Amino acid sequence: MADRPLTLMAVHAHPDDEATSTGGVLAQYAAEGIRTVLVTCTDGGCGDGPGGVKPGDPGHDPAAVASMRRQELEASCEVLKISDLEMLDYADSGMMGWPSNDAPGSFWQTPVEEGAARLAELMRHYRPDVVVTYDENGFYGHPDHIQANRITMAALEMTDLTPKVYWTTMPRSGMQRFGEIMREFHPDMPEPDPAEAAAMAEIGLPDDEITTWVDTTAFSGQKFDSLAAHASQGENIFFLKMGKERFGELMGTETFVRVQDATGAPVPEKDLFAGLR
């Protein structure tokens, strides 16, 4: 290992995903001299267009949106000091149930073996010591997040690498706090219907099931700025309205479940590289 730097590879679905769940660790480990590799699987073409125009609405141009979002992604990588950006450039599949799920060339329609083979080549090139992606449900059921998990786990099986592997998650206590802050900023927000509330209650994990808590508060300003780089995406505006201080309070700790490990480092742990340095 002496002839190469320690390396973190984060496999994300869309431009801006790198900021929300891993912006803190990417910035922190880059500052520590660790090589940070971001793999973004889709082009983000199902995101908001200029002026907030939504997919399927008149004037929404997926190719133009993808081009705009690539520029935003590159700006985010500069903020987070990401060493290497790799884009697989599959077409964004949109939310579960959208017609774009079935579009030829969409990430959701791509055979897992095909995506995994491309990712495995990147893994062999960068030889990551730590790999981060989503859980099997893509955290909240997004098809591209689910597919990112599938190709990541399949790619690892195609290589001889034995990195520590983590899935992003949120503690249920943090999800509750997030809901409280949402209501604080939007007091007129209607209460979710029972089915929606039940689904929300299943997102994340009980606190005692989370293996890894990384305090990235010192880098929450960079995380905020990386999210701000994705200014075209309306769903980010809520976080940005908080201001950096409140944002850091809510988003300053990033949490993970360790699903593969050859170091024997005890859990819970505070460092993705515990046992490696």
Side-chain angles (χ1 to χ4, degrees):
M1 196 179 296
D3 61 343
R4 63 181 182 86
L6 284 170
T7 300
L8 165 65
M9 175 180 281
V11 183
H12 280 292
H14 313 97
D16 81 4
D17 288 333
E18 81 288 344
T20 49
S21 60
T22 58
V25 292
L26 287 166
Q28 176 171 312
Y29 289 128
E32 294 176 8
I34 288 171
R35 187 176 198 175
T36 51
V37 180
L38 171 62
V39 180
T40 301
C41 296
T42 81
D43 60 10
C46 285
D48 293 351
V53 62
K54 301 295 183 183
D57 288 350
H60 187 277
D61 180 352
V65 171
S67 176
M68 173 181 64
R69 296 195 72 185
R70 181 179 185 115
Q71 294 175 33
E72 292 178 335
L73 178 61
E74 291 171 351
S76 170
C77 288
E78 287 187 23
V79 169
L80 298 174
K81 309 301 182 188
I82 288 171
S83 310
D84 301 270
L85 170 63
E86 299 283 355
M87 297 194 70
L88 300 186
D89 267 335
Y90 290 108
D92 190 340
S93 310
M95 300 296 285
M96 189 67 81
W98 287 12
S100 48
N101 293 175
D102 302 320
S106 73
F107 191 36
W108 188 237
Q109 289 298 314
T110 300
V112 169
E113 295 76 13
E114 176 191 321
R118 293 181 62 196
L119 182 57
E121 281 302 305
L122 293 175
M123 289 180 173
R124 293 186 191 103
H125 174 71
Y126 289 107
R127 303 192 69 81
D129 302 283
V130 172
V131 173
V132 175
T133 192
Y134 315 98
D135 64 23
E136 293 163 309
N137 190 47
F139 185 58
Y140 66 98
H142 194 297
D144 288 331
H145 292 218
I146 294 169
Q147 190 76 329
N149 167 277
R150 290 173 177 172
I151 74 162
T152 301
M153 303 312 290
L156 287 162
E157 292 183 2
M158 294 177 177
T159 73
D160 61 354
L161 304 173
T162 57
K164 298 179 78 177
V165 180
Y166 293 89
W167 293 346
T168 58
T169 190
M170 278 280 285
R172 295 270 167 81
S173 61
M175 291 298 296
Q176 181 179 354
R177 178 68 180 137
F178 178 71
E180 292 169 355
I181 291 177
M182 287 256 321
R183 284 188 288 275
E184 177 186 329
F185 277 83
H186 300 285
D188 56 346
M189 185 173 66
E191 289 293 323
D193 63 52
E196 185 181 343
M200 287 293 292
E202 292 300 312
I203 293 178
L205 288 173
D207 292 31
D208 60 1
E209 293 182 20
I210 292 173
T211 63
T212 311
W213 304 70
V214 185
D215 181 359
T216 62
T217 306
F219 298 88
S220 61
Q222 275 177 263
K223 180 173 178 171
F224 182 95
D225 290 342
S226 73
L227 197 60
H230 298 280
S232 69
Q233 300 311 298
E235 64 265 24
N236 295 332
I237 294 173
F238 166 73
F239 292 104
L240 302 177
K241 281 182 177 177
M242 294 181 188
K244 286 189 176 180
E245 184 175 347
R246 293 296 301 280
F247 180 85
E249 291 171 9
L250 181 65
M251 305 289 283
T253 297
E254 294 181 347
T255 49
F256 307 86
V257 174
R258 194 174 80 189
V259 295
Q260 180 175 303
D261 171 62
T263 70
V267 293
E269 59 188 0
K270 299 179 181 178
D271 177 13
L272 299 179
F273 287 85
L276 293 169
R277 54 181 178 171

